[in-house]
Amino acid sequence: MEKFNDIYQRAVSRKGSEEMLHALLSNPLDDTDIAKMHDDLWLEEFTRKVFQSGFYWSVINNKWAGFRDVFWDFSVEKLLMMPPDMLEQKASDERIVRNFKKVQTIPENAYMIHEVAEKHGSFSQFIADWPTNNIIGLWAYLKKHGARLGGNTGPYALRALGKDTFLLSRDVEAYLRAHELIDGGLQTKKSLQAAQNFFNELQQQSGYSLQALSQLVAYGVGDNRVGVATR
């Protein structure tokens, strides 16, 4: 396994300088800030990522004001009280992308968030308390208990709202395969654990967040070069 410094120096070389590289890196929120977030924000971001999967993100983003209007600003409380027959009506609203199967995930994920909040005080507190050295465990929880939150959907939603996580982007996957850290399916337990172990080791060497480390790995491989921001 490469050392952190090897990965870091390659990324610096590709991006032109340490200053240019660090301008591209980002860090997650503190757990205390995550814990203060309203739970409705999680439902909104889960829904956004579910709909962005398989669509141009710009299409979903352009319609997002409509989504917020149709689904009461993603109020978990209101959506849990919504009668089932109203869901089909909302799914046909022209203000949103009309995909009934994806619309069905909204009340399902609202229920997951509500159940977690009942046990942990809030869904945000649950997310904040989850240890990042086992972030794949949180991915697995969202996949098992949520609706359409497997693969990269759950992780991308976590990243979007500030939870520290690495991402298995194409460049990160390419790196892990090239260095024989994973083989076989990307989403197998073996591959996920190997990726977690790799990033945990880099974090111990560097003190960087998983988010920044994931970006560093991506910036050191693939086609991205000077001035190109990815991942």
Side-chain angles (χ1 to χ4, degrees):
M1 186 180 110
E2 282 192 307
K3 298 297 184 182
F4 167 77
N5 192 57
D6 299 323
I7 296 169
Y8 179 81
Q9 292 301 329
R10 184 166 56 249
V12 168
S13 177
R14 280 174 166 256
K15 294 307 178 186
S17 69
E18 288 191 274
E19 183 179 3
M20 294 175 70
L21 173 63
H22 280 269
L24 298 173
L25 298 180
S26 60
N27 279 302
L29 295 177
D30 291 335
D31 288 337
T32 52
D33 292 327
I34 291 175
K36 296 175 184 176
M37 294 169 58
H38 199 288
D39 284 355
D40 294 354
L41 292 175
W42 292 101
L43 180 59
E44 179 173 3
E45 197 57 42
F46 289 151
T47 304
R48 190 196 304 269
K49 291 298 178 282
V50 166
F51 273 86
Q52 285 177 338
S53 178
F55 283 88
Y56 286 110
W57 287 27
S58 59
V59 172
I60 304 304
N61 290 338
N62 288 339
K63 282 184 168 285
W64 203 248
F67 274 88
R68 290 183 59 82
D69 288 341
V70 171
F71 295 106
W72 304 308
D73 293 331
F74 295 96
S75 168
V76 172
E77 182 179 359
K78 290 181 180 179
L79 287 163
L80 288 176
M81 295 188 292
M82 180 179 63
D85 59 334
M86 186 179 289
L87 187 66
E88 189 168 349
Q89 175 187 342
K90 288 183 174 295
S92 63
D93 196 300
E94 293 184 354
R95 289 174 290 177
I96 70 168
V97 173
R98 291 170 289 178
N99 183 314
F100 185 64
K101 289 185 177 180
K102 290 190 174 186
V103 168
Q104 283 179 307
T105 69
I106 298 174
E108 292 175 22
N109 285 326
Y111 184 71
M112 173 192 68
I113 290 169
H114 171 73
E115 277 204 316
V116 169
E118 288 284 291
K119 296 177 182 178
H120 297 271
S122 72
F123 189 79
S124 291
Q125 188 66 60
F126 169 74
I127 297 293
D129 289 342
W130 196 284
T132 56
N133 63 2
N134 182 33
I135 198 65
I136 61 170
L138 182 53
W139 296 1
Y141 185 94
L142 295 177
K143 178 181 179 179
K144 179 178 180 180
H145 298 280
R148 292 199 175 207
L149 297 180
N152 278 332
T153 305
Y156 270 89
L158 293 173
R159 169 71 68 84
L161 287 185
K163 180 63 177 178
D164 191 17
T165 183
F166 61 88
L167 295 176
L168 294 175
S169 65
R170 291 181 181 177
D171 285 341
V172 171
E173 179 184 0
Y175 176 91
L176 295 174
R177 292 192 186 282
H179 289 80
E180 299 182 345
L181 294 168
I182 65 170
D183 55 28
L186 181 62
Q187 295 293 333
T188 65
K189 289 184 178 180
K190 180 181 177 182
S191 292
L192 292 174
Q193 189 60 62
Q196 179 78 71
N197 293 344
F198 168 69
F199 281 105
N200 286 351
E201 177 62 28
L202 291 184
Q203 191 169 53
Q204 290 177 10
Q205 293 177 22
S206 67
Y208 278 54
S209 65
L210 295 179
Q211 179 169 323
L213 289 168
S214 180
Q215 293 168 334
L216 277 169
V217 170
Y219 289 143
V221 298
D223 296 328
N224 62 90
R225 295 271 180 177
V226 174
V228 180
T230 60
R231 316 306 170 257

